[in-house]
Amino acid sequence: MKFFDSLHRPPHLLSMLLALLCAVGMWYMVSVRDRLEAQIEVNLDYIGIPSKLMITEGLINKAVVRLRGPGTLLRAIPKDSLTQTVNLSAIKKGRTIVPLGVEHLDARFRAFELIDVQPTRIVVSADNVMERTVPVRAVVESPLNNGALTVENVSVTPATVLLRGPEAIIANISHIPLTIMLDPKAAGSTVQRTMLLDTPSLVTPTPASVKVRYTITSGRTVLTRRCKVGFVGGPRRHYTVTPAEIDVLVEVPEALARNSRYLREMEVTVAVPDISPGESAQLPLHFRLPEGMTLLNPLSEEVTVTHNKQ
């Protein structure tokens, strides 16, 4: 009877009553009826690292958070952009335990029932930041043996670089080696290159690259080699190749011009064709050259391959 009496009350009271009923209904739908449990990945951002320290290990990119709450709200979480900030201002040199538990999550996660965070902590290792100026030492290497390439006037600019990194690593670095791999095709010329410096992990060089200049004093010479044409993909006895041998013009380092072992590494081959006995085919030659040798003949040379009749 009281409910019907309320229908005769002023309109604004009736509106308030309806709004209250709607609010209660929505609260029930959202908070009670459709509660789910979810597991989400959260990206970790680190702030507050002391300027005199450098993290050497222990940082992770993500944490996994398990939470429970209304399904409607859980489905609305932007899972690809969730980020949790971790403050590292309290870390010291050595190992420091940094908690990542539920109580350390941002307030926005507290709209849900937080069940678990994995891992619950991380163990961060830090070291003092150290800077040191060291020389760059060129190490010249060649893909050719027997001293085939000789080098003079090697220079590196700048000759020294500033290193910055963990004290335990920097303290043991007396110089930065710079490996220069020679190109046999550049024999007899002066080479100028810009090369990146290779430093240990966590160590940053300034500048990051240097300019090198050197002269390969050993020259190159041109030779004519007579090579037998080999087969790839089938037994030679079933086929005849014409011509069976060809003259190949090559350029080689001077120091290897009379090295028979080196020169024999050059191979000239032709692929076995899919032809019937008695048939012939024109096929291109394939060249395999040892390191430092340059082919001067046209690569389009062909030979005739005939499938012998049985």
Side-chain angles (χ1 to χ4, degrees):
M1 189 68 181
K2 293 181 179 180
F3 175 76
F4 291 103
D5 290 341
S6 66
L7 298 178
H8 301 286
R9 294 178 181 176
H12 68 281
L13 294 177
L14 182 59
S15 299
M16 292 177 60
L17 179 59
L18 291 175
L20 178 61
L21 291 175
C22 290
V24 171
M26 293 179 64
W27 171 83
Y28 175 80
M29 292 293 293
V30 173
S31 302
V32 178
R33 182 182 172 189
D34 188 24
R35 294 182 66 79
L36 299 176
E37 185 173 310
Q39 180 172 289
I40 60 175
E41 284 190 341
V42 178
N43 297 316
L44 299 181
D45 283 346
Y46 299 95
I47 62 172
I49 301 175
S51 59
K52 295 183 179 180
L53 291 179
M54 176 174 289
I55 305 297
T56 56
E57 60 179 326
L59 299 185
I60 60 176
N61 296 325
K62 297 178 183 292
V64 177
V65 179
R66 289 177 56 210
L67 40 79
R68 184 183 296 119
T72 304
L73 296 182
L74 284 174
R75 296 186 188 97
I77 295 177
K79 296 181 176 59
D80 294 335
S81 59
L82 282 177
T83 301
Q84 169 68 27
T85 300
V86 181
N87 193 328
L88 298 181
S89 59
I91 66 171
K92 307 294 182 182
K93 179 181 179 180
R95 291 159 54 91
T96 304
I97 296 176
V98 180
L100 296 178
V102 169
E103 65 276 12
H104 299 281
L105 293 180
D106 292 344
R108 56 195 166 127
F109 291 103
R110 294 169 192 166
F112 307 94
E113 178 186 351
L114 298 175
I115 301 172
D116 186 29
V117 178
Q118 289 297 331
T120 58
R121 66 176 191 171
I122 58 174
V123 180
V124 176
S125 296
D127 195 4
N128 292 329
V129 175
M130 182 178 181
E131 292 186 346
R132 184 181 187 183
T133 299
V134 299
V136 179
R137 294 184 182 174
V139 179
V140 179
E141 295 186 359
S142 170
L144 304 179
N145 297 323
N146 307 318
L149 297 178
T150 55
V151 180
E152 293 182 0
N153 303 322
V154 180
S155 65
V156 179
T157 306
T160 61
V161 293
L162 176 66
L163 301 182
R164 186 178 190 274
E167 182 179 18
I169 299 177
I170 297 293
N172 293 319
I173 299 177
S174 60
H175 68 278
I176 295 296
L178 180 67
T179 301
I180 302 173
M181 181 61 69
L182 301 178
D183 181 1
K185 297 178 182 179
S189 64
T190 297
V191 179
Q192 299 184 67
R193 301 165 55 188
T194 298
M195 301 181 63
L196 291 174
L197 295 174
D198 184 15
T199 56
S201 178
L202 302 178
V203 175
T204 303
T206 302
S209 62
V210 294
K211 294 182 179 180
V212 296
R213 178 186 174 94
Y214 55 91
T215 301
I216 303 178
T217 53
S218 51
R220 294 175 66 81
T221 187
V222 176
L223 300 175
T224 300
R225 294 286 297 167
R226 190 160 187 81
C227 301
K228 186 176 182 180
V229 179
F231 281 90
V232 176
R236 181 184 177 93
R237 66 180 181 274
H238 294 163
Y239 299 88
T240 300
V241 59
T242 306
E245 296 182 344
I246 64 168
D247 290 329
V248 181
L249 194 65
V250 294
E251 184 183 72
V252 300
E254 285 181 347
L256 296 176
R258 297 183 180 181
N259 188 318
S260 58
R261 181 177 178 181
Y262 172 78
L263 298 176
R264 283 197 302 268
E265 292 181 16
M266 180 178 64
E267 293 181 357
V268 181
T269 59
V270 64
V272 170
D274 184 15
I275 55 178
S276 301
E279 293 183 346
S280 299
Q282 293 289 120
L283 297 174
L285 293 170
H286 301 282
F287 298 85
R288 189 177 74 85
L289 307 177
E291 186 71 43
M293 180 179 290
T294 303
L295 182 67
L296 301 181
N297 275 26
L299 295 177
S300 60
E301 287 194 19
E302 295 182 340
V303 292
T304 301
V305 177
T306 302
H307 192 163
N308 302 326
K309 293 181 178 181
Q310 301 296 329

